[in-house]
Amino acid sequence: MFKKNPTLKLVSLFLILALTVTAFAGCGKQQLNSEQAKAAEPRVIVDHVGRNVTVPGEINKVFSVSPVGMILMYTLAPEKLVAWNFTIAPEYKKFILPQCRDLPDLGGWYANKTCNTEELLKMNPDIIISIGAIDQTSISLADRIQEQMGIPVVVVNSELNKLDQAYEFMGDLLGVKDRAGELAAYCRETVDDVAGKAKLIPEEKRLRVYYAEGNQGLETDPMASQHTEVLDFVGGINVADVPMKGGMGMASVSMEQVLAWNPDVIITATMGPMGGKEGMVYNNITTDPKWATIKAVSNQRIYDIPDKPFNWFDRPPSVNRIIGVKWLANLLYPDIYRYDLKAEVKDYFSKFYHYNLSDQEIEDLLVRS
């Protein structure tokens, strides 16, 4: 008989415990790896036009067909952007996150733009998003790009009153639900508040507004156009009796037509970071004697739409319009929409553009409005 050795027994116990812990750790690691692998598996989603699209389980690199989607992406998940589809002018870049300022401009599939597909393929985005108006053209375009590029293309509706749904859909798609929920809630609350107050405006007190576009202010868009959705929504009357144009819109009008419409208010469009000279239309209208007899001009009710870092009213008609809704509503009907506009602008820029405005910057943004 051998005498039992207490030291040997203790060593054996530690060895058994160590092997047990290692075994459990190995199982945990295998389970974690299994969960990670499952999360990374491709999945089939249904986009906003009912297309079944197979997308990666994890999406880290995104490109957009047009500026509409690019702006929404920037507000939601700027770290996932691979490139812009328009060039941001230097004076607008200060409002853009440093890591996004110098992303390349690869163009896109909108207006007269073409996409640099060769460079885009090198970047190997996980998906391409097509966010904007929903029609047969957008569906056909998505199918064509997907076939041409071999990259999943997801179509998302960006109507003003459905931006909350766009954020929620994109948050689920990109794995950023909490962030998307915050922005969706802001959009929903803004739309509901403005829509409710618009019903309080008596018909006889609704202001007649001309939306002046083009270098001379003699281009515009009619009521019910996506380009004038903000004006319709806040209870303004669009005076432009012009045909609806597809694509970029902007129907040409004559000076005689504008004189006949004789609007109460004129809002002027600067093309913002995508081109155009700041304040050009506003300056033309306020200095050209041909406009002087119009009620809006004689009453000094001409306002230049703020456009930094993106136009607040239109072009592109993306989530940048949400602050534009509050700006225009307060401008036209301050007794109905009692917003502290400076506070609203500051809050919006922080939430959506990742930028904390100074008081002077707010003054500068609103200088002609």
Side-chain angles (χ1 to χ4, degrees):
M1 295 286 296
F2 292 99
K3 188 177 181 180
K4 292 183 180 179
N5 188 330
T7 303
L8 183 61
K9 187 176 181 180
L10 189 60
V11 169
S12 299
L13 182 59
F14 275 121
L15 182 60
I16 291 168
L17 286 171
L19 289 171
T20 303
V21 170
T22 302
F24 274 111
C27 290
K29 188 174 182 180
Q30 288 174 2
Q31 183 179 358
L32 184 61
N33 288 341
S34 176
E35 290 174 354
Q36 288 174 336
K38 186 175 180 181
E41 288 176 1
R43 56 196 166 114
V44 178
I45 59 103
V46 180
D47 69 10
H48 280 182
V49 292
R51 297 164 63 252
N52 292 322
V53 186
T54 302
V55 301
E58 185 175 333
I59 296 172
N60 294 310
K61 294 190 289 183
V62 181
F63 185 70
S64 173
V65 167
S66 74
V68 176
M70 192 64 69
I71 292 174
L72 191 145
M73 265 302 304
Y74 175 74
T75 63
L76 178 61
E79 71 281 0
K80 296 181 186 288
L81 280 179
V82 296
W84 297 103
N85 48 36
F86 56 89
T87 299
I88 299 180
E91 61 268 32
Y92 294 79
K93 284 188 175 183
K94 67 174 286 186
F95 299 103
I96 302 296
L97 287 168
Q99 63 267 35
C100 295
R101 287 173 189 166
D102 297 318
L103 289 174
D105 170 14
L106 297 186
W109 291 269
Y110 67 97
N112 59 352
K113 287 277 190 177
T114 55
C115 181
N116 187 335
T117 55
E118 184 177 344
E119 288 301 313
L120 182 58
L121 285 170
K122 289 179 184 177
M123 294 178 176
N124 193 29
D126 297 312
I127 62 168
I128 296 173
I129 53 172
S130 176
I131 300 181
I134 298 299
D135 53 27
Q136 191 55 51
T137 301
S138 63
I139 298 171
S140 300
L141 178 63
D143 289 339
R144 178 168 61 83
I145 295 170
Q146 186 166 289
E147 183 177 353
Q148 174 191 357
M149 302 292 291
I151 299 170
V153 179
V154 180
V155 180
V156 183
N157 189 349
S158 69
E159 290 177 60
L160 188 61
N161 62 352
K162 294 181 180 176
L163 281 169
D164 60 332
Q165 297 171 36
Y167 272 118
E168 288 166 349
F169 176 86
M170 290 295 294
D172 185 56
L173 178 66
L174 301 179
V176 288
K177 287 186 178 181
D178 290 345
R179 169 77 178 152
E182 179 187 10
L183 301 184
Y186 185 100
C187 292
R188 185 163 48 248
E189 290 163 9
T190 297
V191 165
D192 289 348
D193 183 60
V194 172
K197 289 174 179 173
K199 296 175 182 177
L200 303 176
I201 306 168
E203 283 297 322
E204 66 274 12
K205 293 192 175 180
R206 291 180 180 254
L207 295 172
R208 302 172 69 257
V209 183
Y210 175 64
Y211 174 35
E213 304 176 84
N215 291 340
Q216 302 303 316
L218 293 176
E219 292 177 82
T220 193
D221 286 283
M223 185 184 298
S225 164
Q226 65 171 329
H227 298 294
T228 59
E229 198 172 3
V230 171
L231 176 56
D232 299 341
F233 189 68
V234 304
I237 298 173
N238 187 344
V239 300
D241 183 12
V242 295
M244 186 81 71
K245 290 186 68 175
M248 290 289 285
M250 296 178 70
S252 295
V253 299
S254 67
M255 191 71 236
E256 288 70 26
Q257 284 176 292
V258 181
L259 288 167
W261 293 330
N262 196 25
D264 302 308
V265 174
I266 295 174
I267 54 174
T268 63
T270 296
M271 290 301 289
M274 293 182 288
K277 187 176 180 181
E278 188 174 1
M280 178 189 296
V281 186
Y282 176 89
N283 291 335
N284 284 346
I285 292 175
T286 54
T287 58
D288 188 335
K290 291 195 297 289
W291 294 80
T293 59
I294 294 174
K295 187 187 299 184
V297 179
S298 60
N299 291 337
Q300 298 184 336
R301 296 217 63 184
I302 309 169
Y303 307 101
D304 199 30
I305 300 163
D307 66 327
K308 291 182 177 69
F310 312 107
N311 190 289
W312 295 14
F313 182 82
D314 180 31
R315 306 195 186 283
S318 186
V319 68
N320 40 302
R321 297 177 299 166
I322 285 292
I323 189 59
V325 163
K326 290 184 174 180
W327 165 75
L328 187 60
N330 188 78
L331 187 73
L332 297 182
Y333 308 109
D335 292 337
I336 300 290
Y337 302 101
R338 297 177 181 274
Y339 297 129
D340 179 345
L341 190 61
K342 291 181 181 180
E344 295 286 352
V345 170
K346 193 167 191 173
D347 182 48
Y348 177 88
F349 267 64
S350 176
K351 279 187 171 69
F352 286 79
Y353 294 152
H354 327 284
Y355 188 87
N356 295 318
L357 289 166
S358 69
D359 291 342
Q360 184 57 54
E361 285 172 330
I362 295 173
E363 294 285 348
D364 294 341
L365 287 169
L366 301 172
V367 67
R368 289 187 296 273
S369 59

